[in-house]
Amino acid sequence: MDDHSKRPIPAPTGGERPTLKTIAYMTGLGITTVSRALKDAPDIGAETKERVRLVARQLGYQPNRAGVRLRTGKTNVIALVLSIEQELMGFTSQMVQGISEVLGGTQYHLVVTPHSFEKDPMVPVRYILDTGSADGVIISRMEPDDQRVRLMTERNLPFVTHGRTDMGIAHPFHDFDNEAYVYQAVERLVKRGRRRIALLAPLSRFSYQIHSRIGFERGLVDFQATEVSMGRMTTETPLEEIRAYAERLSRLPEPPDAIISLSGSASIALVAGTEAAGRRLGKEIDIVSKQSAEFLNWIRPEMLTVTEDVRHAGQELAKAVLARIDGVAPELLQSIDAPVWSPMGPKD
Amino acid sequence: MDDHSKRPIPAPTGGERPTLKTIAYMTGLGITTVSRALKDAPDIGAETKERVRLVARQLGYQPNRAGVRLRTGKTNVIALVLSIEQELMGFTSQMVQGISEVLGGTQYHLVVTPHSFEKDPMVPVRYILDTGSADGVIISRMEPDDQRVRLMTERNLPFVTHGRTDMGIAHPFHDFDNEAYVYQAVERLVKRGRRRIALLAPLSRFSYQIHSRIGFERGLVDFQATEVSMGRMTTETPLEEIRAYAERLSRLPEPPDAIISLSGSASIALVAGTEAAGRRLGKEIDIVSKQSAEFLNWIRPEMLTVTEDVRHAGQELAKAVLARIDGVAPELLQSIDAPVWSPMGPKD
DNA sequence: AAATTTATCTGTAACGTTTCAGTTTTTTGC
DNA sequence: GCAAAAAACTGAAACGTTACAGATAAATTT
């Protein structure tokens, strides 16, 4: 207690939040030494480090984020850029949860930045770039030629995408294998005797629209089925329009005997439309759907579903940005989840 | 250009992010003057303010958050504390969206902090308090006697709750009127000839369990109906258990002729269970449900539903914390949303 | 015309951290 | 035994901002 008085005397502490200064005072060391001890620098004695760490733990010391950020530019923030047009059924909560599980073990905070994708997808990215408000970014709704990816790559901002691009830039991503999903869907449908299949795909601007189309067309050829057009319907068409279209389709002389959907909520409308036309799931028609939460099977057990594990996606995305921030090569931070089919009632 | 050289010369600027120093240099003013001009302080000349504002806008100046935070302690962060046990069906995304819409027009960022409510609800609150990491907090899953409310009030941390408490502390809140919802549900059911009603309520620890029970019991008395017990089922019971219970209930000699549910996803299980027992919605039984996204009506148009506008709740909550931060009295920041019934197919 | 006010403006210090360039002490080399 | 090197530690400066306590010049009062 008294041998501290010989030292340069920083200042005794109040009941406030402890800082490096507090620890320096308690240990009788310099602020610099404490700082370096806590980051395990090589020029600090082993015994000193131990002592500093002990006192720090004792005081419940937590580095002041503003101090670190001001000095180093490191924000300890991961930004999740969400489109407000995104599917509602549990997508966001699961994504946030997955990311948080990974971030929970770190100093990183998660800042959520929703915005209208339709209006201008670049806005949030430019904001983050201009203000340096995040160390890493997670984006979704990828396009084959994506300006956000181009800009962040150019400006060296670590990021990861939920979905792939196709522009010759290697970047971290996590994706669901929509091609395999649709291909396997066709296969299963044909095995169940279906031949005339419709595909409710995403908007054509998105990468996964292309993937699902490729899977679909490969499937049609490999398993000998034919396509029934969904017209201008996409997964983002208002549900009522989808319902109406599905009903019209069902009343055609030669209606589809199966529909493959890439959106859980759109599938609800498909079911409503086909049933309104008197066609029964599992009998006259099969509907296959991807979903982000297990709810379709509760509604219609006859439905064939694949549940995209969005929580797992969130985990992978978070791990990838963190690794990217740590300098891991983009090529090593790419993963694709295979579709997992829900066990089905009837047969199969 | 040259008259700047007579001045104290801060330093010419690179291509970096503009700071007060940059503006000071460009205008030939002192850093303090620029700072005060931008906050419209009374001791700065009108013409000077104009000039500073112009240059600031020109440069796209944005105050450095770390600088402000370090100096003033103001984080410009609102923390949304989410329970991972929260209902999945769109709740989080809508809440986040609503909050963001309000925060979008401000300097505030939204940090999302999920955690296990079951484990210890105090953890995130204590963290925010200890690290001063937010200017305001939004919490949900309120209990009548809520320790989080007690602590934040005591420590003077602005917050708002989604749901009410009952402990004699006036604090900002936004709530959905669950009492009115259940009361009106009973009324509608009785008008449709139902008499034996079951209530699937939340866990008893939560405030809205009490509200829904009160509404229920008032309804039973006022409209002369009787209760059929839901046993130990709550909205948080695993769906499969709810389904099984609903089926068992439906096979009783005197089954309920109506069920009121406080959770959209739980209702799916209720429907599955009752239908498995051969009872048809709108015929032998009515199911009334609250939901946070319009999806039950797509699945079973016969269902009576109220959709809680979670996006609107998010907006109200965000407005309330901001107002609280600005010193508005808690009593003025309390609001309750009345239930809005979806138009129904059959009659009514 | 001198003294006071008023209107504008400004330098310094501090918030908590890390980097840089040392300084002091101990150990090693020969 | 003494120079050189290694080990352990440290103060000053800086990141961008704002509060404080002036400073300067112009306008007003007496």
Side-chain angles (χ1 to χ4, degrees):
Chain A
M1 256 180 197
D2 6 343
D3 63 314
H4 290 318
S5 35
K6 325 172 201 164
R7 297 276 167 183
I9 16 163
T13 160
E16 291 306 276
R17 190 173 160 197
T19 68
L20 290 179
K21 199 158 146 189
T22 317
I23 302 177
Y25 177 74
M26 310 231 66
T27 55
L29 294 164
I31 293 176
T32 304
T33 311
V34 173
S35 172
R36 298 189 54 70
L38 286 174
K39 16 186 63 63
D40 203 20
D43 64 346
I44 305 293
E47 196 254 353
T48 303
K49 281 180 189 169
E50 211 40 72
R51 206 153 50 92
V52 169
R53 276 196 278 256
L54 181 73
V55 175
R57 191 143 16 89
Q58 189 84 14
L59 293 172
Y61 170 74
Q62 301 249 184
N64 180 306
R65 310 189 117 233
V68 174
R69 181 163 170 178
L70 182 56
R71 176 65 234 240
T72 65
K74 172 126 193 163
T75 62
N76 282 299
V77 162
I78 300 297
L80 172 62
V81 177
L82 282 178
S83 159
I84 60 174
E85 290 93 3
Q86 209 114 12
E87 158 157 28
L88 293 181
M89 291 295 171
F91 184 91
T92 303
S93 34
Q94 307 214 58
M95 174 68 73
V96 167
Q97 206 176 117
I99 295 171
S100 300
E101 280 165 27
V102 173
L103 260 37
T106 72
Q107 282 296 316
Y108 286 91
H109 285 182
L110 175 63
V111 169
V112 178
T113 312
H115 81 113
S116 168
F117 187 90
E118 295 308 329
K119 246 175 98 199
D120 183 359
M122 296 296 281
V123 170
V125 170
R126 264 198 292 262
Y127 174 82
I128 294 167
L129 240 14
D130 286 350
T131 61
S133 54
D135 295 336
V137 181
I138 300 174
I139 60 175
S140 52
R141 310 203 109 207
M142 306 311 301
E143 304 184 6
D145 184 55
D146 200 294
Q147 292 312 308
R148 300 168 297 173
V149 167
R150 201 179 300 288
L151 183 59
M152 289 192 283
T153 302
E154 199 178 295
R155 305 277 288 276
N156 249 320
L157 173 61
F159 69 97
V160 60
T161 65
H162 184 222
R164 279 163 282 174
T165 59
D166 183 22
M167 45 182 164
I169 293 180
H171 63 81
F173 66 77
H174 177 80
D175 204 357
F176 171 81
D177 195 339
N178 289 287
E179 177 179 342
Y181 157 63
V182 177
Y183 182 82
Q184 291 171 19
V186 174
E187 178 178 17
R188 287 176 175 234
L189 288 169
V190 170
K191 279 205 180 129
R192 295 166 62 87
R194 308 302 185 184
R195 276 277 170 288
R196 303 177 37 75
I197 309 177
L199 175 69
L200 182 61
L203 283 173
S204 64
R205 61 191 304 179
F206 297 123
S207 301
Y208 77 121
Q209 188 269 352
I210 298 175
H211 298 145
S212 58
R213 283 298 321 175
I214 292 175
F216 191 52
E217 273 149 33
R218 275 211 298 120
L220 291 181
V221 171
D222 288 6
F223 307 111
Q224 319 230 44
T226 60
E227 173 170 15
V228 176
S229 168
M230 262 302 200
R232 45 172 201 70
M233 296 296 120
T234 73
T235 52
E236 320 231 343
T237 307
L239 295 192
E240 179 46 39
E241 276 182 57
I242 296 179
R243 197 207 57 73
Y245 190 89
E247 183 172 352
R248 218 177 317 136
L249 213 56
S250 300
R251 295 194 196 280
L252 288 178
E254 279 207 296
D257 53 19
I259 309 178
I260 300 172
S261 162
L262 276 98
S263 150
S265 43
S267 299
I268 293 183
L270 290 176
V271 171
T274 51
E275 290 186 344
R279 309 190 81 217
R280 293 159 302 167
L281 291 190
K283 307 284 184 178
E284 293 85 14
I285 191 167
D286 272 325
I287 294 185
V288 186
S289 181
K290 186 173 88 162
Q291 60 185 347
S292 50
E294 294 265 2
F295 73 110
L296 291 174
N297 315 281
W298 279 99
I299 296 165
R300 292 287 182 281
E302 306 81 15
M303 210 179 261
L304 298 162
T305 62
V306 160
T307 305
E308 181 178 357
D309 190 341
V310 180
R311 185 163 140 263
H312 176 251
Q315 295 172 338
E316 292 300 305
L317 290 167
K319 282 192 264 178
V321 231
L322 294 188
R324 187 71 195 100
I325 290 172
D326 287 344
V328 176
E331 293 82 2
L332 304 176
L333 301 171
Q334 306 176 331
S335 56
I336 298 178
D337 273 357
V340 178
W341 293 83
S342 300
M344 239 273 303
K347 53 193 79 180
D348 195 316
Chain B
M1 258 183 198
D2 5 345
D3 62 315
H4 291 318
S5 33
K6 325 171 200 166
R7 297 274 167 185
I9 14 164
T13 162
E16 291 309 277
R17 191 176 159 195
T19 69
L20 291 179
K21 198 159 149 187
T22 318
I23 302 176
Y25 177 75
M26 309 229 67
T27 56
L29 295 164
I31 292 175
T32 303
T33 311
V34 174
S35 174
R36 298 188 55 69
L38 287 175
K39 13 186 68 63
D40 202 21
D43 65 344
I44 304 294
E47 195 254 353
T48 303
K49 281 180 188 171
E50 212 37 74
R51 204 153 52 92
V52 169
R53 278 197 276 258
L54 181 74
V55 175
R57 192 145 16 88
Q58 189 84 15
L59 293 171
Y61 169 75
Q62 301 250 181
N64 180 305
R65 311 190 115 231
V68 174
R69 180 165 173 176
L70 183 57
R71 178 64 234 242
T72 65
K74 172 123 193 164
T75 62
N76 283 299
V77 162
I78 299 297
L80 171 63
V81 177
L82 282 178
S83 158
I84 60 174
E85 290 93 3
Q86 208 113 14
E87 157 157 30
L88 292 180
M89 288 297 169
F91 184 91
T92 303
S93 33
Q94 306 213 60
M95 175 67 73
V96 167
Q97 207 175 116
I99 296 170
S100 300
E101 279 164 28
V102 173
L103 261 38
T106 73
Q107 282 296 316
Y108 287 91
H109 284 182
L110 175 64
V111 169
V112 178
T113 311
H115 83 113
S116 169
F117 187 90
E118 295 309 330
K119 246 175 100 197
D120 183 359
M122 296 296 281
V123 170
V125 171
R126 265 198 291 264
Y127 174 82
I128 294 166
L129 241 14
D130 287 349
T131 60
S133 54
D135 295 335
V137 181
I138 300 173
I139 60 174
S140 52
R141 309 204 109 209
M142 305 312 300
E143 304 184 8
D145 183 55
D146 201 293
Q147 291 312 308
R148 299 168 296 173
V149 167
R150 203 178 298 289
L151 184 59
M152 289 192 285
T153 302
E154 198 178 296
R155 304 279 287 276
N156 250 319
L157 173 60
F159 68 97
V160 61
T161 66
H162 184 221
R164 278 163 284 173
T165 59
D166 183 21
M167 44 182 171
I169 294 179
H171 62 82
F173 67 76
H174 177 82
D175 202 358
F176 171 80
D177 195 339
N178 288 286
E179 178 179 341
Y181 157 63
V182 177
Y183 182 82
Q184 291 172 18
V186 174
E187 178 177 19
R188 290 179 173 232
L189 288 169
V190 170
K191 279 204 181 130
R192 295 164 65 87
R194 307 304 185 182
R195 276 278 172 286
R196 303 178 37 74
I197 309 177
L199 175 69
L200 182 61
L203 283 173
S204 65
R205 62 191 304 180
F206 297 122
S207 301
Y208 75 122
Q209 188 268 351
I210 299 176
H211 299 145
S212 58
R213 282 297 321 174
I214 292 176
F216 190 51
E217 275 149 33
R218 274 210 299 121
L220 291 181
V221 171
D222 288 6
F223 307 112
Q224 318 230 46
T226 61
E227 172 169 15
V228 176
S229 167
M230 262 304 201
R232 44 171 203 67
M233 296 297 119
T234 73
T235 51
E236 318 231 343
T237 307
L239 295 192
E240 178 46 38
E241 277 181 57
I242 295 180
R243 196 205 58 71
Y245 190 89
E247 184 172 351
R248 220 177 316 135
L249 214 56
S250 302
R251 294 195 197 280
L252 288 179
E254 280 206 295
D257 54 18
I259 309 178
I260 301 172
S261 163
L262 273 291
S263 151
S265 43
S267 300
I268 293 183
L270 290 176
V271 171
T274 52
E275 290 187 343
R279 310 189 82 218
R280 292 159 302 169
L281 290 189
K283 307 284 184 177
E284 294 83 14
I285 190 167
D286 272 325
I287 294 186
V288 185
S289 181
K290 186 174 90 164
Q291 58 185 347
S292 50
E294 294 264 2
F295 73 110
L296 291 173
N297 316 283
W298 279 99
I299 295 164
R300 291 289 183 281
E302 306 82 14
M303 210 179 264
L304 298 162
T305 62
V306 160
T307 304
E308 181 179 357
D309 191 342
V310 180
R311 185 163 140 262
H312 176 250
Q315 295 172 341
E316 292 301 306
L317 290 167
K319 280 191 265 176
V321 232
L322 295 188
R324 187 72 195 99
I325 291 173
D326 287 343
V328 177
E331 292 82 2
L332 304 175
L333 302 172
Q334 307 176 331
S335 57
I336 298 178
D337 272 358
V340 178
W341 293 83
S342 300
M344 241 270 306
K347 54 194 78 178
D348 196 314

